[in-house]
Amino acid sequence: MKILFVGDVVGSVGRQMVIDTIPHLREEKAIDMVICNGENAAHGKGITKKIYNQLIAAGIDVITMGNHTFSKNDILLFIDEADRLVRPMNMEPTEPGQSTCVVQIGGKKIAVSNLSGEVFMNNITDSPFACMEDILEAYEDCDLHVVDLHAEATSEKIAFTYCFANQLAAVVGTHTHVQTADERIVDGCAAISDLGMCGPYNSVLGRDIDEVIARFNGEKTKYTMASGPGIFCGLIVEIDDISNRAVSVERIQIIEEA
């Protein structure tokens, strides 16, 4: 089995990169399942019902979220009905939505969980380590379990991987929008500190460059998305069908021509 993990989708450029790229990757790489972080899909912050449906239609099986989960009020109108959407378990507000969903792929029950790191993050209610223990107990009947750890600190993501490597098939980091080159397999668990983003290539994490520079120089700015060519970032993880453990990882970075 091959699972494609896709980094944070940022704005309209990121959405178009996903729509254009995923069908081709599914066919070319024989992908069985796609998991994508969509917390920045709506103009850089949050997600709407329309965009949720758009991403699912593009071939995404599960959408994970992060610290901007509730940036658009629209999400409260559909999050409890969005069975392919997961939000961080340990982030306020904790009531709406689900933090783990189980999908059937190729005869396997795959649990997909979403957690937030604690380091440099806001509105966090509990340690992702403690939450993971609870999740594993609640979903012990699943064939394999993968996690999107939405976190700032690479050290926290790496420590989390080593802590749960024997119980998880993959731990992928999201949030920084910068792809790391540390893809690895730890005791049968695929890992990468950050998948990177799908969004405008010539940008600062998806935002307009001049605007961000002005902000660093003390000016009050808006939240303008960059335009132009896009970048698509992700990780392909191959899972052994007998052991349910990761056997290979392939980092993906596709930059659109101008």
Side-chain angles (χ1 to χ4, degrees), residues 108-143:
K108 302 279 188 180
K109 289 177 66 176
I110 304 171
V112 182
S113 293
N114 195 191
L115 290 165
S116 175
E118 285 186 293
V119 182
F120 305 129
M121 300 292 278
N122 299 318
N123 303 321
I124 306 306
T125 62
D126 201 355
S127 160
F129 292 81
C131 289
M132 193 70 245
E133 296 283 3
D134 293 339
I135 293 171
L136 287 169
E137 183 177 352
Y139 293 91
E140 60 181 356
D141 62 330
C142 290
D143 296 298

PDB file of all heavy atoms in Angstrom, residues 108-143:
ATOM      1  N   LYS A 108      -7.901  -2.731   4.588  1.00  0.00           N
ATOM      2  CA  LYS A 108      -7.261  -2.338   5.841  1.00  0.00           C
ATOM      3  C   LYS A 108      -8.048  -1.220   6.521  1.00  0.00           C
ATOM      4  O   LYS A 108      -8.576  -0.317   5.866  1.00  0.00           O
ATOM      5  CB  LYS A 108      -5.839  -1.841   5.588  1.00  0.00           C
ATOM      6  CG  LYS A 108      -4.919  -2.836   4.899  1.00  0.00           C
ATOM      7  CD  LYS A 108      -4.349  -3.832   5.870  1.00  0.00           C
ATOM      8  CE  LYS A 108      -3.272  -4.686   5.196  1.00  0.00           C
ATOM      9  NZ  LYS A 108      -2.682  -5.671   6.110  1.00  0.00           N
ATOM     10  N   LYS A 109      -8.114  -1.292   7.841  1.00  0.00           N
ATOM     11  CA  LYS A 109      -8.682  -0.195   8.626  1.00  0.00           C
ATOM     12  C   LYS A 109      -7.539   0.735   9.028  1.00  0.00           C
ATOM     13  O   LYS A 109      -6.658   0.354   9.801  1.00  0.00           O
ATOM     14  CB  LYS A 109      -9.388  -0.738   9.873  1.00  0.00           C
ATOM     15  CG  LYS A 109     -10.681  -1.472   9.590  1.00  0.00           C
ATOM     16  CD  LYS A 109     -11.284  -2.043  10.868  1.00  0.00           C
ATOM     17  CE  LYS A 109     -11.726  -0.941  11.815  1.00  0.00           C
ATOM     18  NZ  LYS A 109     -12.401  -1.490  13.031  1.00  0.00           N
ATOM     19  N   ILE A 110      -7.585   1.948   8.486  1.00  0.00           N
ATOM     20  CA  ILE A 110      -6.506   2.905   8.720  1.00  0.00           C
ATOM     21  C   ILE A 110      -7.034   4.059   9.561  1.00  0.00           C
ATOM     22  O   ILE A 110      -7.968   4.757   9.160  1.00  0.00           O
ATOM     23  CB  ILE A 110      -5.934   3.428   7.396  1.00  0.00           C
ATOM     24  CG1 ILE A 110      -5.464   2.254   6.528  1.00  0.00           C
ATOM     25  CG2 ILE A 110      -4.797   4.412   7.653  1.00  0.00           C
ATOM     26  CD1 ILE A 110      -5.097   2.652   5.123  1.00  0.00           C
ATOM     27  N   ALA A 111      -6.425   4.266  10.718  1.00  0.00           N
ATOM     28  CA  ALA A 111      -6.786   5.382  11.582  1.00  0.00           C
ATOM     29  C   ALA A 111      -5.880   6.563  11.269  1.00  0.00           C
ATOM     30  O   ALA A 111      -4.655   6.421  11.208  1.00  0.00           O
ATOM     31  CB  ALA A 111      -6.648   4.989  13.048  1.00  0.00           C
ATOM     32  N   VAL A 112      -6.496   7.722  11.059  1.00  0.00           N
ATOM     33  CA  VAL A 112      -5.748   8.951  10.784  1.00  0.00           C
ATOM     34  C   VAL A 112      -6.043   9.932  11.910  1.00  0.00           C
ATOM     35  O   VAL A 112      -7.198  10.313  12.122  1.00  0.00           O
ATOM     36  CB  VAL A 112      -6.154   9.570   9.434  1.00  0.00           C
ATOM     37  CG1 VAL A 112      -5.326  10.827   9.164  1.00  0.00           C
ATOM     38  CG2 VAL A 112      -5.988   8.561   8.305  1.00  0.00           C
ATOM     39  N   SER A 113      -4.997  10.335  12.629  1.00  0.00           N
ATOM     40  CA  SER A 113      -5.179  11.245  13.762  1.00  0.00           C
ATOM     41  C   SER A 113      -4.466  12.565  13.530  1.00  0.00           C
ATOM     42  O   SER A 113      -3.468  12.635  12.805  1.00  0.00           O
ATOM     43  CB  SER A 113      -4.653  10.604  15.058  1.00  0.00           C
ATOM     44  OG  SER A 113      -5.428   9.493  15.431  1.00  0.00           O
ATOM     45  N   ASN A 114      -4.977  13.608  14.165  1.00  0.00           N
ATOM     46  CA  ASN A 114      -4.435  14.957  14.061  1.00  0.00           C
ATOM     47  C   ASN A 114      -4.171  15.489  15.464  1.00  0.00           C
ATOM     48  O   ASN A 114      -5.061  15.484  16.319  1.00  0.00           O
ATOM     49  CB  ASN A 114      -5.455  15.840  13.334  1.00  0.00           C
ATOM     50  CG  ASN A 114      -4.894  17.162  12.831  1.00  0.00           C
ATOM     51  OD1 ASN A 114      -5.636  18.034  12.422  1.00  0.00           O
ATOM     52  ND2 ASN A 114      -3.585  17.338  12.841  1.00  0.00           N
ATOM     53  N   LEU A 115      -2.918  15.900  15.708  1.00  0.00           N
ATOM     54  CA  LEU A 115      -2.532  16.463  16.997  1.00  0.00           C
ATOM     55  C   LEU A 115      -1.740  17.741  16.774  1.00  0.00           C
ATOM     56  O   LEU A 115      -1.168  17.945  15.701  1.00  0.00           O
ATOM     57  CB  LEU A 115      -1.678  15.467  17.788  1.00  0.00           C
ATOM     58  CG  LEU A 115      -2.378  14.216  18.320  1.00  0.00           C
ATOM     59  CD1 LEU A 115      -1.349  13.179  18.754  1.00  0.00           C
ATOM     60  CD2 LEU A 115      -3.292  14.575  19.475  1.00  0.00           C
ATOM     61  N   SER A 116      -1.693  18.586  17.796  1.00  0.00           N
ATOM     62  CA  SER A 116      -0.884  19.792  17.746  1.00  0.00           C
ATOM     63  C   SER A 116       0.270  19.660  18.732  1.00  0.00           C
ATOM     64  O   SER A 116       0.126  19.071  19.801  1.00  0.00           O
ATOM     65  CB  SER A 116      -1.715  21.027  18.099  1.00  0.00           C
ATOM     66  OG  SER A 116      -0.889  22.179  18.165  1.00  0.00           O
ATOM     67  N   GLY A 117       1.413  20.219  18.362  1.00  0.00           N
ATOM     68  CA  GLY A 117       2.512  20.300  19.309  1.00  0.00           C
ATOM     69  C   GLY A 117       2.220  21.349  20.365  1.00  0.00           C
ATOM     70  O   GLY A 117       1.315  22.172  20.219  1.00  0.00           O
ATOM     71  N   GLU A 118       3.020  21.334  21.436  1.00  0.00           N
ATOM     72  CA  GLU A 118       2.864  22.320  22.510  1.00  0.00           C
ATOM     73  C   GLU A 118       3.832  23.491  22.366  1.00  0.00           C
ATOM     74  O   GLU A 118       3.502  24.620  22.725  1.00  0.00           O
ATOM     75  CB  GLU A 118       3.119  21.646  23.865  1.00  0.00           C
ATOM     76  CG  GLU A 118       1.999  20.755  24.363  1.00  0.00           C
ATOM     77  CD  GLU A 118       2.269  20.260  25.761  1.00  0.00           C
ATOM     78  OE1 GLU A 118       3.219  19.469  25.935  1.00  0.00           O
ATOM     79  OE2 GLU A 118       1.554  20.673  26.685  1.00  0.00           O
ATOM     80  N   VAL A 119       5.028  23.228  21.841  1.00  0.00           N
ATOM     81  CA  VAL A 119       6.084  24.241  21.811  1.00  0.00           C
ATOM     82  C   VAL A 119       5.736  25.364  20.839  1.00  0.00           C
ATOM     83  O   VAL A 119       5.483  25.117  19.653  1.00  0.00           O
ATOM     84  CB  VAL A 119       7.424  23.598  21.417  1.00  0.00           C
ATOM     85  CG1 VAL A 119       8.542  24.650  21.424  1.00  0.00           C
ATOM     86  CG2 VAL A 119       7.771  22.443  22.351  1.00  0.00           C
ATOM     87  N   PHE A 120       5.704  26.603  21.323  1.00  0.00           N
ATOM     88  CA  PHE A 120       5.422  27.804  20.525  1.00  0.00           C
ATOM     89  C   PHE A 120       4.021  27.799  19.903  1.00  0.00           C
ATOM     90  O   PHE A 120       3.765  28.535  18.951  1.00  0.00           O
ATOM     91  CB  PHE A 120       6.456  27.979  19.399  1.00  0.00           C
ATOM     92  CG  PHE A 120       7.877  27.992  19.873  1.00  0.00           C
ATOM     93  CD1 PHE A 120       8.820  27.164  19.287  1.00  0.00           C
ATOM     94  CD2 PHE A 120       8.281  28.834  20.901  1.00  0.00           C
ATOM     95  CE1 PHE A 120      10.137  27.163  19.721  1.00  0.00           C
ATOM     96  CE2 PHE A 120       9.603  28.841  21.338  1.00  0.00           C
ATOM     97  CZ  PHE A 120      10.526  28.004  20.745  1.00  0.00           C
ATOM     98  N   MET A 121       3.121  26.987  20.411  1.00  0.00           N
ATOM     99  CA  MET A 121       1.761  26.930  19.879  1.00  0.00           C
ATOM    100  C   MET A 121       0.779  27.451  20.933  1.00  0.00           C
ATOM    101  O   MET A 121       1.034  27.356  22.141  1.00  0.00           O
ATOM    102  CB  MET A 121       1.390  25.502  19.484  1.00  0.00           C
ATOM    103  CG  MET A 121       2.293  24.894  18.421  1.00  0.00           C
ATOM    104  SD  MET A 121       2.141  25.659  16.802  1.00  0.00           S
ATOM    105  CE  MET A 121       0.696  24.826  16.169  1.00  0.00           C
ATOM    106  N   ASN A 122      -0.361  27.990  20.474  1.00  0.00           N
ATOM    107  CA  ASN A 122      -1.363  28.573  21.375  1.00  0.00           C
ATOM    108  C   ASN A 122      -2.603  27.692  21.473  1.00  0.00           C
ATOM    109  O   ASN A 122      -2.863  26.865  20.608  1.00  0.00           O
ATOM    110  CB  ASN A 122      -1.776  29.964  20.872  1.00  0.00           C
ATOM    111  CG  ASN A 122      -0.608  30.928  20.828  1.00  0.00           C
ATOM    112  OD1 ASN A 122       0.216  30.964  21.739  1.00  0.00           O
ATOM    113  ND2 ASN A 122      -0.528  31.722  19.764  1.00  0.00           N
ATOM    114  N   ASN A 123      -3.372  27.910  22.540  1.00  0.00           N
ATOM    115  CA  ASN A 123      -4.664  27.242  22.759  1.00  0.00           C
ATOM    116  C   ASN A 123      -4.547  25.724  22.813  1.00  0.00           C
ATOM    117  O   ASN A 123      -5.442  25.002  22.373  1.00  0.00           O
ATOM    118  CB  ASN A 123      -5.665  27.638  21.655  1.00  0.00           C
ATOM    119  CG  ASN A 123      -5.874  29.130  21.577  1.00  0.00           C
ATOM    120  OD1 ASN A 123      -5.938  29.808  22.598  1.00  0.00           O
ATOM    121  ND2 ASN A 123      -5.974  29.652  20.364  1.00  0.00           N
ATOM    122  N   ILE A 124      -3.438  25.220  23.357  1.00  0.00           N
ATOM    123  CA  ILE A 124      -3.237  23.784  23.464  1.00  0.00           C
ATOM    124  C   ILE A 124      -3.664  23.314  24.855  1.00  0.00           C
ATOM    125  O   ILE A 124      -3.267  23.895  25.866  1.00  0.00           O
ATOM    126  CB  ILE A 124      -1.769  23.409  23.195  1.00  0.00           C
ATOM    127  CG1 ILE A 124      -1.322  23.976  21.846  1.00  0.00           C
ATOM    128  CG2 ILE A 124      -1.568  21.903  23.247  1.00  0.00           C
ATOM    129  CD1 ILE A 124      -2.199  23.588  20.674  1.00  0.00           C
ATOM    130  N   THR A 125      -4.460  22.279  24.885  1.00  0.00           N
ATOM    131  CA  THR A 125      -5.058  21.817  26.141  1.00  0.00           C
ATOM    132  C   THR A 125      -4.285  20.695  26.815  1.00  0.00           C
ATOM    133  O   THR A 125      -4.426  20.487  28.019  1.00  0.00           O
ATOM    134  CB  THR A 125      -6.488  21.321  25.892  1.00  0.00           C
ATOM    135  OG1 THR A 125      -6.446  20.192  24.994  1.00  0.00           O
ATOM    136  CG2 THR A 125      -7.350  22.410  25.283  1.00  0.00           C
ATOM    137  N   ASP A 126      -3.487  19.958  26.054  1.00  0.00           N
ATOM    138  CA  ASP A 126      -2.812  18.790  26.624  1.00  0.00           C
ATOM    139  C   ASP A 126      -1.615  18.424  25.757  1.00  0.00           C
ATOM    140  O   ASP A 126      -1.500  18.850  24.601  1.00  0.00           O
ATOM    141  CB  ASP A 126      -3.787  17.607  26.692  1.00  0.00           C
ATOM    142  CG  ASP A 126      -3.368  16.550  27.704  1.00  0.00           C
ATOM    143  OD1 ASP A 126      -2.275  16.688  28.297  1.00  0.00           O
ATOM    144  OD2 ASP A 126      -4.111  15.569  27.890  1.00  0.00           O
ATOM    145  N   SER A 127      -0.740  17.613  26.302  1.00  0.00           N
ATOM    146  CA  SER A 127       0.425  17.152  25.573  1.00  0.00           C
ATOM    147  C   SER A 127       0.018  16.205  24.446  1.00  0.00           C
ATOM    148  O   SER A 127      -0.831  15.335  24.639  1.00  0.00           O
ATOM    149  CB  SER A 127       1.375  16.415  26.529  1.00  0.00           C
ATOM    150  OG  SER A 127       2.259  15.577  25.822  1.00  0.00           O
ATOM    151  N   PRO A 128       0.630  16.342  23.257  1.00  0.00           N
ATOM    152  CA  PRO A 128       0.325  15.382  22.187  1.00  0.00           C
ATOM    153  C   PRO A 128       0.750  13.969  22.557  1.00  0.00           C
ATOM    154  O   PRO A 128       0.167  12.995  22.079  1.00  0.00           O
ATOM    155  CB  PRO A 128       1.128  15.921  20.994  1.00  0.00           C
ATOM    156  CG  PRO A 128       2.212  16.751  21.586  1.00  0.00           C
ATOM    157  CD  PRO A 128       1.622  17.351  22.824  1.00  0.00           C
ATOM    158  N   PHE A 129       1.738  13.844  23.421  1.00  0.00           N
ATOM    159  CA  PHE A 129       2.195  12.526  23.859  1.00  0.00           C
ATOM    160  C   PHE A 129       1.109  11.829  24.678  1.00  0.00           C
ATOM    161  O   PHE A 129       0.801  10.651  24.454  1.00  0.00           O
ATOM    162  CB  PHE A 129       3.483  12.657  24.682  1.00  0.00           C
ATOM    163  CG  PHE A 129       4.681  13.107  23.894  1.00  0.00           C
ATOM    164  CD1 PHE A 129       4.872  14.458  23.599  1.00  0.00           C
ATOM    165  CD2 PHE A 129       5.617  12.202  23.450  1.00  0.00           C
ATOM    166  CE1 PHE A 129       5.967  14.877  22.866  1.00  0.00           C
ATOM    167  CE2 PHE A 129       6.731  12.613  22.720  1.00  0.00           C
ATOM    168  CZ  PHE A 129       6.894  13.956  22.426  1.00  0.00           C
ATOM    169  N   ALA A 130       0.512  12.555  25.622  1.00  0.00           N
ATOM    170  CA  ALA A 130      -0.556  11.983  26.440  1.00  0.00           C
ATOM    171  C   ALA A 130      -1.786  11.675  25.587  1.00  0.00           C
ATOM    172  O   ALA A 130      -2.427  10.629  25.756  1.00  0.00           O
ATOM    173  CB  ALA A 130      -0.924  12.947  27.569  1.00  0.00           C
ATOM    174  N   CYS A 131      -2.103  12.571  24.670  1.00  0.00           N
ATOM    175  CA  CYS A 131      -3.267  12.355  23.797  1.00  0.00           C
ATOM    176  C   CYS A 131      -3.076  11.121  22.916  1.00  0.00           C
ATOM    177  O   CYS A 131      -4.012  10.359  22.688  1.00  0.00           O
ATOM    178  CB  CYS A 131      -3.504  13.582  22.925  1.00  0.00           C
ATOM    179  SG  CYS A 131      -4.112  15.018  23.808  1.00  0.00           S
ATOM    180  N   MET A 132      -1.856  10.930  22.422  1.00  0.00           N
ATOM    181  CA  MET A 132      -1.592   9.787  21.550  1.00  0.00           C
ATOM    182  C   MET A 132      -1.817   8.472  22.279  1.00  0.00           C
ATOM    183  O   MET A 132      -2.324   7.505  21.700  1.00  0.00           O
ATOM    184  CB  MET A 132      -0.163   9.861  21.007  1.00  0.00           C
ATOM    185  CG  MET A 132       0.104   8.892  19.856  1.00  0.00           C
ATOM    186  SD  MET A 132      -0.762   9.383  18.341  1.00  0.00           S
ATOM    187  CE  MET A 132      -1.905   8.029  18.118  1.00  0.00           C
ATOM    188  N   GLU A 133      -1.451   8.416  23.533  1.00  0.00           N
ATOM    189  CA  GLU A 133      -1.696   7.212  24.341  1.00  0.00           C
ATOM    190  C   GLU A 133      -3.189   6.896  24.387  1.00  0.00           C
ATOM    191  O   GLU A 133      -3.604   5.739  24.230  1.00  0.00           O
ATOM    192  CB  GLU A 133      -1.151   7.389  25.754  1.00  0.00           C
ATOM    193  CG  GLU A 133       0.348   7.560  25.852  1.00  0.00           C
ATOM    194  CD  GLU A 133       1.119   6.246  25.681  1.00  0.00           C
ATOM    195  OE1 GLU A 133       0.490   5.204  25.422  1.00  0.00           O
ATOM    196  OE2 GLU A 133       2.357   6.287  25.806  1.00  0.00           O
ATOM    197  N   ASP A 134      -4.007   7.918  24.589  1.00  0.00           N
ATOM    198  CA  ASP A 134      -5.458   7.732  24.648  1.00  0.00           C
ATOM    199  C   ASP A 134      -6.013   7.276  23.298  1.00  0.00           C
ATOM    200  O   ASP A 134      -6.891   6.413  23.230  1.00  0.00           O
ATOM    201  CB  ASP A 134      -6.144   9.033  25.078  1.00  0.00           C
ATOM    202  CG  ASP A 134      -5.829   9.420  26.519  1.00  0.00           C
ATOM    203  OD1 ASP A 134      -5.434   8.526  27.301  1.00  0.00           O
ATOM    204  OD2 ASP A 134      -5.965  10.615  26.849  1.00  0.00           O
ATOM    205  N   ILE A 135      -5.505   7.869  22.224  1.00  0.00           N
ATOM    206  CA  ILE A 135      -5.983   7.514  20.885  1.00  0.00           C
ATOM    207  C   ILE A 135      -5.641   6.065  20.552  1.00  0.00           C
ATOM    208  O   ILE A 135      -6.472   5.322  20.022  1.00  0.00           O
ATOM    209  CB  ILE A 135      -5.375   8.468  19.833  1.00  0.00           C
ATOM    210  CG1 ILE A 135      -5.920   9.893  20.011  1.00  0.00           C
ATOM    211  CG2 ILE A 135      -5.677   7.972  18.428  1.00  0.00           C
ATOM    212  CD1 ILE A 135      -5.215  10.924  19.158  1.00  0.00           C
ATOM    213  N   LEU A 136      -4.429   5.652  20.850  1.00  0.00           N
ATOM    214  CA  LEU A 136      -4.011   4.282  20.557  1.00  0.00           C
ATOM    215  C   LEU A 136      -4.872   3.272  21.287  1.00  0.00           C
ATOM    216  O   LEU A 136      -5.218   2.213  20.745  1.00  0.00           O
ATOM    217  CB  LEU A 136      -2.538   4.093  20.921  1.00  0.00           C
ATOM    218  CG  LEU A 136      -1.538   4.758  19.976  1.00  0.00           C
ATOM    219  CD1 LEU A 136      -0.139   4.739  20.579  1.00  0.00           C
ATOM    220  CD2 LEU A 136      -1.543   4.081  18.613  1.00  0.00           C
ATOM    221  N   GLU A 137      -5.240   3.584  22.501  1.00  0.00           N
ATOM    222  CA  GLU A 137      -6.107   2.679  23.267  1.00  0.00           C
ATOM    223  C   GLU A 137      -7.508   2.628  22.667  1.00  0.00           C
ATOM    224  O   GLU A 137      -8.127   1.560  22.583  1.00  0.00           O
ATOM    225  CB  GLU A 137      -6.178   3.134  24.723  1.00  0.00           C
ATOM    226  CG  GLU A 137      -6.990   2.217  25.623  1.00  0.00           C
ATOM    227  CD  GLU A 137      -6.983   2.645  27.073  1.00  0.00           C
ATOM    228  OE1 GLU A 137      -6.221   3.579  27.422  1.00  0.00           O
ATOM    229  OE2 GLU A 137      -7.738   2.054  27.871  1.00  0.00           O
ATOM    230  N   ALA A 138      -7.997   3.773  22.215  1.00  0.00           N
ATOM    231  CA  ALA A 138      -9.357   3.837  21.684  1.00  0.00           C
ATOM    232  C   ALA A 138      -9.474   3.183  20.308  1.00  0.00           C
ATOM    233  O   ALA A 138     -10.552   2.699  19.941  1.00  0.00           O
ATOM    234  CB  ALA A 138      -9.815   5.299  21.601  1.00  0.00           C
ATOM    235  N   TYR A 139      -8.383   3.153  19.540  1.00  0.00           N
ATOM    236  CA  TYR A 139      -8.430   2.626  18.175  1.00  0.00           C
ATOM    237  C   TYR A 139      -7.484   1.436  17.994  1.00  0.00           C
ATOM    238  O   TYR A 139      -6.897   1.257  16.932  1.00  0.00           O
ATOM    239  CB  TYR A 139      -8.075   3.738  17.177  1.00  0.00           C
ATOM    240  CG  TYR A 139      -9.112   4.835  17.121  1.00  0.00           C
ATOM    241  CD1 TYR A 139      -9.002   5.950  17.953  1.00  0.00           C
ATOM    242  CD2 TYR A 139     -10.205   4.751  16.266  1.00  0.00           C
ATOM    243  CE1 TYR A 139      -9.957   6.964  17.926  1.00  0.00           C
ATOM    244  CE2 TYR A 139     -11.156   5.760  16.228  1.00  0.00           C
ATOM    245  CZ  TYR A 139     -11.023   6.858  17.051  1.00  0.00           C
ATOM    246  OH  TYR A 139     -11.975   7.855  17.019  1.00  0.00           O
ATOM    247  N   GLU A 140      -7.381   0.619  19.014  1.00  0.00           N
ATOM    248  CA  GLU A 140      -6.442  -0.500  18.971  1.00  0.00           C
ATOM    249  C   GLU A 140      -6.839  -1.583  17.969  1.00  0.00           C
ATOM    250  O   GLU A 140      -6.018  -2.441  17.619  1.00  0.00           O
ATOM    251  CB  GLU A 140      -6.304  -1.124  20.371  1.00  0.00           C
ATOM    252  CG  GLU A 140      -7.592  -1.675  20.952  1.00  0.00           C
ATOM    253  CD  GLU A 140      -7.391  -2.241  22.341  1.00  0.00           C
ATOM    254  OE1 GLU A 140      -6.231  -2.263  22.802  1.00  0.00           O
ATOM    255  OE2 GLU A 140      -8.382  -2.683  22.965  1.00  0.00           O
ATOM    256  N   ASP A 141      -8.089  -1.545  17.483  1.00  0.00           N
ATOM    257  CA  ASP A 141      -8.527  -2.569  16.539  1.00  0.00           C
ATOM    258  C   ASP A 141      -8.170  -2.235  15.083  1.00  0.00           C
ATOM    259  O   ASP A 141      -8.435  -3.028  14.179  1.00  0.00           O
ATOM    260  CB  ASP A 141     -10.042  -2.781  16.649  1.00  0.00           C
ATOM    261  CG  ASP A 141     -10.839  -1.534  16.297  1.00  0.00           C
ATOM    262  OD1 ASP A 141     -10.321  -0.416  16.514  1.00  0.00           O
ATOM    263  OD2 ASP A 141     -11.972  -1.668  15.816  1.00  0.00           O
ATOM    264  N   CYS A 142      -7.548  -1.075  14.846  1.00  0.00           N
ATOM    265  CA  CYS A 142      -7.189  -0.686  13.476  1.00  0.00           C
ATOM    266  C   CYS A 142      -5.914  -1.412  13.030  1.00  0.00           C
ATOM    267  O   CYS A 142      -5.065  -1.766  13.847  1.00  0.00           O
ATOM    268  CB  CYS A 142      -6.989   0.822  13.388  1.00  0.00           C
ATOM    269  SG  CYS A 142      -8.536   1.748  13.542  1.00  0.00           S
ATOM    270  N   ASP A 143      -5.800  -1.608  11.717  1.00  0.00           N
ATOM    271  CA  ASP A 143      -4.626  -2.299  11.173  1.00  0.00           C
ATOM    272  C   ASP A 143      -3.380  -1.427  11.222  1.00  0.00           C
ATOM    273  O   ASP A 143      -2.282  -1.928  11.462  1.00  0.00           O
ATOM    274  CB  ASP A 143      -4.904  -2.730   9.725  1.00  0.00           C
ATOM    275  CG  ASP A 143      -6.022  -3.752   9.634  1.00  0.00           C
ATOM    276  OD1 ASP A 143      -5.863  -4.847  10.192  1.00  0.00           O
ATOM    277  OD2 ASP A 143      -7.063  -3.440   9.019  1.00  0.00           O
TER     278      ASP A 143
END
